[in-house]
Amino acid sequence: MRKCTLRNMALGYPYDKKAEQYAMRLAVKAKKKQPQSASGALALSLFAIDFLQKEEAFEGTMSLSFDYARKMESEDKVAIIEASFQDEERKSAERAKSAMKRSLPEPWQQAKIFYLASKHGDCAEDHKDYQGKLYYNRFWRRCVKSKKGRKAVEAFIQRKRMRSVQWVIGRPAWFITRPNCRHYFEEISAGEAMDIPANELLIDREMDAAEGRRDSSQTIRHSINEGWYTEQNVRNIIKKYKERLAYHQALYEKAKNERLKGYIDKDRRLIQKWSSYLRSKF
């Protein structure tokens, strides 16, 4: 039993004394009903603890802070974190396959030049008007070369009165970039954005939640008092975002999916924001 507890803790499973006691009671009852070796009883108790704790362990995985995960990094830890993204990876592949079945898109339709903003019920009042919407990359013409594609994209942006992603992350909205913001973006191809309503994309990608995710995608908290904005504090927050970016990139290598790409994009934009501030002020 001690071996099981130590192994579970090494894998990142939460320690639960009650679960341990319950597992042992199961083993004792089973042994009384059908005599078996001591090793068999231990095996049953190990299985019971795994069963009881696995769901809680996976639920807590994405709540790990990026620095804690880095310190505790091991092959087993990475495997557990990877598992939490496997379902998302499978769904991403299914979406891509489904899009291919609908039609064979032209090259410009495959260009990922739009961004879908996540949405959650407990959103701050001043961000409600910005969540759950599509935004375009103001440099989209670099990815769309054909006249037909450019004409279609321009007409779509104008018809939707759409704003650019570069605008919404800056003043006055500060969407995804201000402290504690839990929103994130996912890249959307031109074909998807123009053919599928934003609310359907949100549901399909599971980006519409009752509560915003409080995980490693959340914008790092810092004071908004004027005295906080020193060169050292700015350099420290840039360092934290760079560490988190490396963490998300490592996860992405293990389990590629759109949500992690969104986290990586958010980290890069925050690094860019603070780096620009550092150059302009110091």
Side-chain angles (χ1 to χ4, degrees):
M1 183 59 66
R2 180 172 177 78
K3 288 181 180 178
C4 175
T5 302
L6 292 174
R7 180 178 64 82
N8 283 351
M9 291 177 70
L11 289 173
Y13 291 2
Y15 174 71
D16 190 334
K17 184 66 177 177
K18 291 183 179 179
E20 178 181 330
Q21 294 171 346
Y22 177 58
M24 183 57 77
R25 287 200 299 274
L26 287 179
V28 171
K29 288 181 180 180
K31 186 171 179 61
K32 286 181 179 180
K33 291 182 179 180
Q34 183 175 352
Q36 54 185 314
S37 66
S39 60
L42 178 59
L44 178 59
S45 68
L46 296 180
F47 171 80
I49 287 183
D50 279 348
F51 180 82
L52 290 166
Q53 296 186 328
K54 188 170 291 182
E55 183 176 356
E56 184 180 356
F58 276 88
E59 181 68 22
T61 297
M62 286 312 299
S63 296
L64 291 171
S65 61
F66 67 94
D67 56 336
Y68 176 76
R70 187 180 69 254
K71 292 176 183 177
M72 300 297 292
E73 186 176 3
S74 67
E75 290 185 4
D76 287 333
K77 177 67 70 175
V78 171
I80 293 173
I81 296 176
E82 176 186 346
S84 70
F85 284 104
Q86 285 178 347
D87 188 53
E88 179 66 25
E89 182 179 11
R90 176 184 58 78
K91 290 176 182 176
S92 295
E94 288 176 353
R95 285 195 295 267
K97 188 176 180 180
S98 176
M100 288 296 291
K101 285 183 177 179
R102 286 197 298 271
S103 64
L104 291 174
E106 295 182 39
W108 69 267
Q109 292 175 309
Q110 301 178 55
K112 294 192 173 184
I113 56 176
F114 292 97
Y115 290 85
L116 180 65
S118 63
K119 181 180 179 181
H120 50 258
D122 57 343
C123 172
E125 286 296 325
D126 58 343
H127 272 184
K128 285 184 176 180
D129 289 340
Y130 305 118
Q131 65 173 356
K133 293 184 178 180
L134 281 170
Y135 298 89
Y136 68 91
N137 183 346
R138 70 182 183 188
F139 303 112
W140 64 268
R141 291 178 181 80
R142 297 175 183 176
C143 303
V144 179
K145 303 296 184 181
S146 71
K147 290 183 179 180
K148 178 183 177 181
R150 289 191 172 187
K151 185 176 180 180
V153 172
E154 285 175 349
F156 178 67
I157 291 173
Q158 291 176 9
R159 185 170 71 253
K160 294 293 185 179
R161 297 182 178 180
M162 196 180 297
R163 293 186 180 274
S164 72
V165 69
Q166 287 84 1
W167 178 87
V168 78
I169 66 174
R171 191 186 302 273
W174 300 119
F175 192 76
I176 83 164
T177 53
R178 77 177 182 193
N180 293 330
C181 184
R182 291 164 287 160
H183 291 99
Y184 61 94
F185 293 114
E186 283 194 15
E187 289 182 326
I188 305 293
S189 68
E192 288 179 298
M194 297 169 73
D195 293 343
I196 307 173
N199 62 328
E200 290 185 21
L201 289 171
L202 285 168
I203 295 171
D204 184 45
R205 293 169 177 263
E206 298 181 357
M207 295 175 68
D208 188 352
E211 295 183 4
R213 293 172 176 268
R214 294 188 181 277
D215 56 16
S216 59
S217 69
Q218 187 171 0
T219 309
I220 296 173
R221 182 179 181 179
H222 66 80
S223 172
I224 58 174
N225 292 329
E226 185 176 350
W228 180 88
Y229 293 83
T230 65
E231 180 177 1
Q232 186 60 49
N233 283 341
V234 173
R235 290 188 182 279
N236 284 341
I237 204 165
I238 291 173
K239 181 181 178 182
K240 289 179 181 179
Y241 280 124
K242 286 182 175 180
E243 290 174 343
R244 194 170 80 174
L245 173 61
Y247 169 56
H248 285 150
Q249 288 173 327
L251 287 182
Y252 186 74
E253 289 302 311
K254 295 289 183 179
K256 292 179 172 61
N257 62 73
E258 293 301 317
R259 180 161 294 158
L260 272 174
K261 284 181 67 176
Y263 290 1
I264 290 170
D265 177 74
K266 180 171 181 175
D267 290 338
R268 286 174 173 164
R269 292 183 185 280
L270 287 162
I271 290 169
Q272 183 180 32
K273 167 195 169 182
W274 286 108
S275 296
S276 297
Y277 182 86
L278 185 66
R279 289 192 298 270
S280 65
K281 298 296 183 179
F282 305 101

